[in-house]
Amino acid sequence: MRMELESVRRAIGVADACELLNCAFAFPDAAFAEGVASGAVASDVRSCLADAGVPEGDAAVAAAALAPWEGADGAGLLAAMRRTYSLLYLAPGGHTPIFPYESAFLHVQRGLSKAPALFRSRVTLDVERQMREAGVRAKDDRVEPCDSVFEEFEFLSYLYAHQAEALRCGDDGEAAVWGERARRFVQEHAGAWIPAFMERTIELAPDSPYAGLAQAALALLRQLP
């Protein structure tokens, strides 16, 4: 029974951590900036990672990396986060330092010369297929590629939440189905580029909240199969 409860707790922890990272790496809004300033985000990082099975020391380091912004003015922090986000991930004219889309990020990482395709690449089509097979579609897939870092975290949250519910209900077969979907998506997509995306974020924005959030993402991804 204790092992079953731990499995449920871990799946819920991973789902919650992925949902937090979905919010963290979407374009920042006032609620998220206020959460960083109040310390609520750091607290959530620590508790979600701990529930997901991340070693306590790694969870504490990720949470502590957000401490410099606790007590900051929310509006000022929001403006600063939006500037950093735009410079890192949204710079126009082919000079984006870090593409927030799997297909484009890998295109640049592999040194390919042509401009990356954002919507109908092999990668985005497979992400779309795996989402569809799991009964979901990206919310803004007509205007935003479905292989964005935040959409991939949201999809993982969905998969692990369903696994947690199946485990809670004692349906081991259904839990295995959802667990296999999550494992495949991590191996074929999220794990293939998000660690490098986070490392690059830490490199280019070491003095921003995004460095701490990237540390949280790396700690989580190390725990996933």
Side-chain angles (χ1 to χ4, degrees), residues 111-147:
L112 302 178
S113 57
K114 294 182 179 179
L118 293 181
F119 282 93
R120 306 309 292 173
S121 70
R122 178 188 59 79
V123 168
T124 55
L125 290 173
D126 192 65
V127 169
E128 186 180 85
R129 178 185 63 80
Q130 291 196 35
M131 288 181 172
R132 187 171 58 249
E133 288 177 355
V136 69
R137 62 178 291 179
K139 289 182 296 190
D140 300 314
D141 58 357
R142 296 192 179 186
V143 295
E144 186 91 48
C146 64
D147 64 340

Side-chain angles (χ1 to χ4, degrees), residues 78-156:
L78 174 62
M81 290 181 70
R82 285 182 167 176
R83 281 195 301 273
T84 300
Y85 192 99
S86 297
L87 289 170
L88 285 178
Y89 309 130
L90 301 178
H95 301 293
T96 307
I98 312 172
F99 277 105
Y101 310 108
E102 180 183 354
S103 57
F105 184 91
L106 291 175
H107 182 101
V108 172
Q109 191 177 55
R110 291 166 182 165
L112 302 178
S113 57
K114 294 182 179 179
L118 293 181
F119 282 93
R120 306 309 292 173
S121 70
R122 178 188 59 79
V123 168
T124 55
L125 290 173
D126 192 65
V127 169
E128 186 180 85
R129 178 185 63 80
Q130 291 196 35
M131 288 181 172
R132 187 171 58 249
E133 288 177 355
V136 69
R137 62 178 291 179
K139 289 182 296 190
D140 300 314
D141 58 357
R142 296 192 179 186
V143 295
E144 186 91 48
C146 64
D147 64 340
S148 67
V149 61
F150 47 91
E151 291 284 8
E152 292 200 6
F153 273 126
E154 186 170 33
F155 182 48
L156 283 172

